[in-house]
């Protein structure tokens, strides 16, 4: 592999994007609805987390835990009777973490119309060992131009996550130094 990440472990062979890509499908029922009669966003978010967790576990070869969820976007409401497909794949890998991209599609269970994208999200998972300590993950090897684009976009999101975290920490430290103590 000539384009390994600078922190890639040469002892762990990389894995292609397709090796862990998965789809989880679920029919929405009345138990999934909110007060408006559409499917509750939390139900969709759980499906997103479940699919992303399966991908993270497959890619890393063991347990992985959700570290963060970015940009959960709901594009269209989901209704009772919709067949929801949650498609997930690894977009980027670091030493112990992975960004998983998720697309949520819905179609009527009894119609042959194509599925419509109703949401998307990006989640970061950390691979952990039996003691809950971080462990190394294989580098993801993008296979298509779309995979390469997703990998580059994931690197931008990672840079923004780290910068946001750093800016908030610095603000809190500055306010504490000025005598502002917050709960």
């Amino acid at each position: 592999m000539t384009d390994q990440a600078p922190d890639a472990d040469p002892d762990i062979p990389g894995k292609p994007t397709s090796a862990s890509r998965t789809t989880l499908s679920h029919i929405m029922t009345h138990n999934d609805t909110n007060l408006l009669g559409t499917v509750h966003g939390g139900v969709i978010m759980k499906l997103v987390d479940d699919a992303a967790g399966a991908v993270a576990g497959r890619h890393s070869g063991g347990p992985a835990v959700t570290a963060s969820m970015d940009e959960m976007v709901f594009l269209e409401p989901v209704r009772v009777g919709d067949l929801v497909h949650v498609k997930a794949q690894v977009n980027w890998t670091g030493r112990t973490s992975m960004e998983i991209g998720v697309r949520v599609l819905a179609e009527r269970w009894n119609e042959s119309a194509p599925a419509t994208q109703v949401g998307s999200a990006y989640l970061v998972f950390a691979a952990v060992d039996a003691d809950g300590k971080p462990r190394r993950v294989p580098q993801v090897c993008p296979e298509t131009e779309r995979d390469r684009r997703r990998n580059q976009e994931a690197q931008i999101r990672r840079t923004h996550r780290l910068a946001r975290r750093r800016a908030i920490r610095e603000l809190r430290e500055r306010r504490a130094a000025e005598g502002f103590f917050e709960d």
Side-chain angles (χ1 to χ4, degrees), residues 48 69-73 91 100-104 119-123:
V48 164
M69 179 182 272
D70 284 358
E71 299 180 37
M72 181 71 216
V73 177
N91 289 336
I100 313 298
V102 181
R103 287 185 331 135
V104 183
S120 65
Y122 300 101
L123 295 87

Side-chain angles (χ1 to χ4, degrees), residues 73-115:
V73 177
F74 297 99
L75 302 169
E76 299 283 336
V78 177
R79 302 171 294 163
V80 169
D82 281 354
L83 178 56
V84 172
H85 307 286
V86 183
K87 298 177 176 277
Q89 75 171 49
V90 177
N91 289 336
W92 171 88
T93 53
R95 278 189 302 271
T96 62
S97 63
M98 303 157 274
E99 183 195 90
I100 313 298
V102 181
R103 287 185 331 135
V104 183
L105 301 118
E107 61 182 302
R108 296 306 294 168
W109 69 274
N110 59 349
E111 296 176 7
S112 60

Side-chain angles (χ1 to χ4, degrees), residues 17-131:
T17 306
S18 62
S20 56
R21 189 178 288 139
T22 194
T23 300
L24 181 146
S25 297
H26 188 79
I27 294 178
M28 298 292 109
T29 68
H30 288 286
N31 292 335
D32 301 317
T33 60
N34 59 26
L35 296 174
L36 298 174
T38 56
V39 173
H40 195 289
V43 170
I44 301 298
M45 290 173 75
K46 179 168 183 345
L47 294 173
V48 164
D49 191 47
D50 288 346
V55 167
R58 280 180 168 183
H59 184 81
S60 69
V65 296
T66 311
S68 69
M69 179 182 272
D70 284 358
E71 299 180 37
M72 181 71 216
V73 177
F74 297 99
L75 302 169
E76 299 283 336
V78 177
R79 302 171 294 163
V80 169
D82 281 354
L83 178 56
V84 172
H85 307 286
V86 183
K87 298 177 176 277
Q89 75 171 49
V90 177
N91 289 336
W92 171 88
T93 53
R95 278 189 302 271
T96 62
S97 63
M98 303 157 274
E99 183 195 90
I100 313 298
V102 181
R103 287 185 331 135
V104 183
L105 301 118
E107 61 182 302
R108 296 306 294 168
W109 69 274
N110 59 349
E111 296 176 7
S112 60
T116 303
Q117 185 170 351
V118 295
S120 65
Y122 300 101
L123 295 87
V124 176
F125 276 75
V128 295
D129 63 18
D131 298 321

